[in-house]
Amino acid sequence: MRVAHRLRVTGQDQLPAPPFVIIGNHTSHLDALVLAAALPWPSARHAFALAAGDTFFTSTPAAAFAAYAVNALPVWRSRTTAADLAGLRVRLVEGGAVFILFPEGTRSRTGQLGPFKPGIAALVAGSAVPVVPCVLTGAFDAWPASRRWPRPGRLHLHIGTPLRFEQAGTGR
């Protein structure tokens, strides 16, 4: 990423120790790779990208690539249950994982931020797990959804201040 896309990362000192969730805007298939590349080794060892099962786990080659490239876990957009989310939450909280996810649920077709899906709330509400917001620029120009392959381009990832939602959903 640093060579092909001249990736520059700022705010890396904001990253807490696992467990945490790192989120970003989603405009390209480069996004998960960039967020994973920005993690220091102790966190990267425990990192899993939550990936659309209906996109990345429909064939053996695609699933193998997703699992190898970003240690992806499938999330089935049309059929994820409350029990599935509860299992992910246990893996996150008790397993000391780092989840890479995109609250929009899909790549932007325009480069603009889309509305968030509610799934992230089920993972972190009422827990001590921080959510680290990020902004990635340049990924849409390098590999928008309309292109089959990426092209070189300058990428910048800004890592923001971790947010906590310990009181969310607890009635306090």
Side-chain angles (χ1 to χ4, degrees), residues 3-171:
V3 174
H5 295 286
R6 299 182 309 262
L7 174 62
R8 185 170 64 103
V9 178
T10 56
Q12 201 169 19
D13 59 323
Q14 300 279 5
L15 293 171
F20 64 90
V21 176
I22 186 167
I23 65 170
N25 54 310
H26 197 20
T27 61
S28 170
H29 282 313
L30 291 172
D31 300 341
L33 296 170
V34 170
L35 291 178
L39 296 173
W41 175 244
S43 296
R45 291 181 328 137
H46 303 284
F48 300 91
L50 301 187
D54 54 324
T55 300
F56 293 100
F57 291 87
T58 57
S59 71
T60 301
F65 175 78
Y68 175 75
V70 289
N71 206 22
L73 295 174
V75 176
W76 302 94
R77 291 186 265 207
S78 60
R79 58 184 170 140
T80 297
T81 66
D84 295 331
L85 289 174
L88 287 171
R89 182 179 168 110
V90 168
R91 187 176 203 156
L92 174 65
V93 176
E94 295 176 13
V98 174
F99 283 172
I100 299 168
L101 66 87
F102 303 98
E104 298 162 273
T106 191
R107 284 175 297 155
S108 170
R109 299 309 191 254
T110 65
Q112 300 301 308
L113 190 65
F116 284 14
K117 304 291 184 198
I120 188 171
L123 292 174
V124 299
S127 78
V129 174
V131 176
V132 181
C134 298
V135 175
L136 178 60
T137 56
F140 182 76
D141 293 331
W143 197 2
S146 61
R147 287 187 56 88
R148 185 171 174 98
W149 300 105
R151 58 184 163 219
R154 187 172 299 255
L155 302 178
H156 178 230
L157 176 67
H158 177 73
I159 300 170
T161 303
L163 306 170
R164 296 187 182 271
F165 299 93
E166 293 166 291
Q167 303 301 316
T170 62

